[in-house]
Amino acid sequence: MSLYRNSAWFLKGLTEFTKGAFLSASKNFVEKDLETSVVGRSFLITGANSGIGKATAMAIAKKGGTIHMVCRNKDKAEEARAEIVKDSGNKEIFVHILDLSETKKVWEFAESFKKKYKALNVLINNAGCMMTKREVNGEGLEKSFASNSLAMYILIKSLIPLLEKSPDSRVITVSSGGMLVQKLRTGNLQSQRGRYDGTMVYAQNKRQQVVMTEQFAKAHPNIHFSVMHPGWVDTPTIANAMPDFHSSMKERLRTPEQGADTVVWLAVSEAAGKNPSGHFFQGEEDEENTMCTKKDWTMKMKERIRA
């Protein structure tokens, strides 16, 4: 990453990705977009036991949706489920234990889910992995790539038949503005060459998610695809993998609920489905179209994919 990209991204973040930026943008939110019931609709959310995933699950559960929580840690997942059931009064909350870094198990889970359940209206790829050193999974694949990019691809690809036969189906992927510091690089997907930098590998994975979203949208027009940046959010991933950034920026970081706001809107609102499929959403504004009327403005991807 060049010094220019790094500096430009950080300055952009200070003005657009913080808690203050969210509170400013929230003045233009159209609250009626979220005044909807999703009773009878099913939502599969990865990484749903903490952070943005848990906040998303809680918000949708309160609207009556059936929630499938895909989590790695059983104890934490059950604890989060109990809290969601208690606060939402919704008992249609189901826990599935899965390590997204284990590629074969991701495929097995998706195939099993497809056979067991008759419908899936919304898939939310939220779980993220930021490694501090290079590690590989049981298949010999670098874990960050396996968890962030390959797991997303497998879940979408395997669950497409189920999504396509479900009404108003959507796929939402939680990416990151960090992808702006990386060009798409397909020649080193396993991060085998050069010094391993976990934050840059993560940013590259997030760039890959954006590109895949656009391609899936082109290939499957009956499903609405979107990818979004939640802003700088106070989550366990940031606290554990970027402790210096977390401690220095803690007062400016968004809450998980603020970070989940766009995800929830994309998942449940009628207005979100009217946007073109395959777009990238950023928390505050569309840098290419300031005339939009919705709270989260579409940032068209074509000029950015290889920028």
Side-chain angles (χ1 to χ4, degrees):
M1 176 178 62
S2 69
L3 178 61
Y4 170 77
R5 276 182 178 264
N6 188 22
S7 301
W9 175 80
F10 187 72
L11 290 174
K12 179 181 179 66
L14 288 176
T15 59
E16 299 180 13
F17 303 162
T18 61
K19 180 187 296 184
F22 175 88
L23 294 174
S24 177
S26 67
K27 298 174 183 178
N28 297 316
F29 289 5
V30 182
E31 295 301 328
K32 68 178 182 179
D33 282 356
L34 296 177
E35 294 173 0
T36 183
S37 169
V38 290
V39 174
R41 288 177 63 77
S42 59
F43 301 77
L44 190 155
I45 308 170
T46 64
N49 63 278
S50 65
I52 294 170
K54 181 182 176 183
T56 299
M58 179 71 80
I60 296 175
K62 288 180 177 179
K63 296 181 182 299
T66 296
I67 308 295
H68 294 278
M69 303 171 60
V70 177
C71 310
R72 183 177 59 179
N73 185 292
K74 188 177 188 300
D75 291 339
K76 291 181 180 179
E78 292 293 351
E79 182 180 348
R81 179 191 179 275
E83 183 181 341
I84 293 170
V85 170
K86 180 181 178 180
D87 289 0
S88 69
N90 184 348
K91 295 182 179 180
E92 293 296 302
I93 314 296
F94 304 95
V95 168
H96 307 270
I97 303 304
L98 175 66
D99 185 343
L100 291 173
S101 73
E102 295 299 333
T103 306
K104 184 179 179 181
K105 291 180 180 179
V106 175
W107 180 80
E108 291 174 343
F109 163 77
E111 291 299 302
S112 175
F113 187 93
K114 186 167 54 180
K115 293 175 182 177
K116 184 175 181 179
Y117 297 98
K118 295 180 180 180
L120 176 63
N121 299 100
V122 182
L123 167 62
I124 301 176
N125 296 299
N126 162 75
C129 171
M130 189 184 299
M131 306 296 294
T132 56
K133 63 179 181 179
R134 189 179 187 277
E135 297 181 23
V136 297
N137 66 8
E139 289 80 32
L141 299 170
E142 192 272 322
K143 281 192 173 182
S144 185
F145 172 74
S147 301
N148 298 327
S149 300
L150 196 52
M152 168 201 167
Y153 176 84
I154 293 171
L155 286 176
I156 293 174
K157 196 72 175 176
S158 296
L159 294 173
I160 275 175
L162 191 58
L163 287 160
E164 286 188 327
K165 69 179 185 180
S166 304
D168 188 20
S169 57
R170 306 179 185 191
V171 174
I172 300 141
T173 298
V174 180
S175 183
S176 170
M179 67 97 179
L180 294 171
V181 306
Q182 284 282 302
K183 295 181 179 181
L184 179 63
R185 303 182 191 280
T186 59
N188 190 27
L189 294 177
Q190 298 303 307
S191 304
Q192 294 172 304
R193 299 196 299 273
R195 183 178 68 87
Y196 186 88
D197 184 330
T199 57
M200 290 301 101
V201 171
Y202 179 82
Q204 175 64 204
N205 296 159
K206 294 302 175 179
R207 171 68 73 172
Q208 293 161 6
Q209 290 178 343
V210 172
V211 175
M212 284 192 285
T213 295
E214 185 184 51
Q215 297 307 311
F216 272 122
K218 291 178 180 178
H220 302 281
N222 293 329
I223 302 172
H224 190 277
F225 290 85
S226 54
V227 59
M228 56 78 66
H229 170 44
W232 289 345
V233 183
D234 191 353
T235 66
T237 297
I238 297 298
N240 295 331
M242 302 175 68
D244 293 339
F245 175 81
H246 182 265
S247 61
S248 64
M249 294 295 295
K250 186 171 178 58
E251 297 305 315
R252 294 186 177 186
L253 297 179
R254 298 179 183 184
T255 65
E257 291 73 23
Q258 291 170 340
D261 182 82
T262 301
V263 186
V264 175
W265 178 74
L266 288 167
V268 308
S269 76
E270 182 179 348
K274 293 179 180 179
N275 283 283
S277 183
H279 278 192
F280 179 95
F281 287 78
Q282 181 181 299
E284 295 9 291
E285 64 179 2
D286 176 0
E287 296 181 358
E288 298 171 10
N289 182 6
T290 59
M291 298 303 291
C292 293
T293 57
K294 181 61 187 83
K295 61 172 180 129
D296 289 291
W297 316 96
T298 305
M299 183 172 69
K300 298 175 180 63
M301 298 190 301
K302 291 183 179 178
E303 291 79 8
R304 301 178 181 279
I305 288 178
R306 297 175 181 82

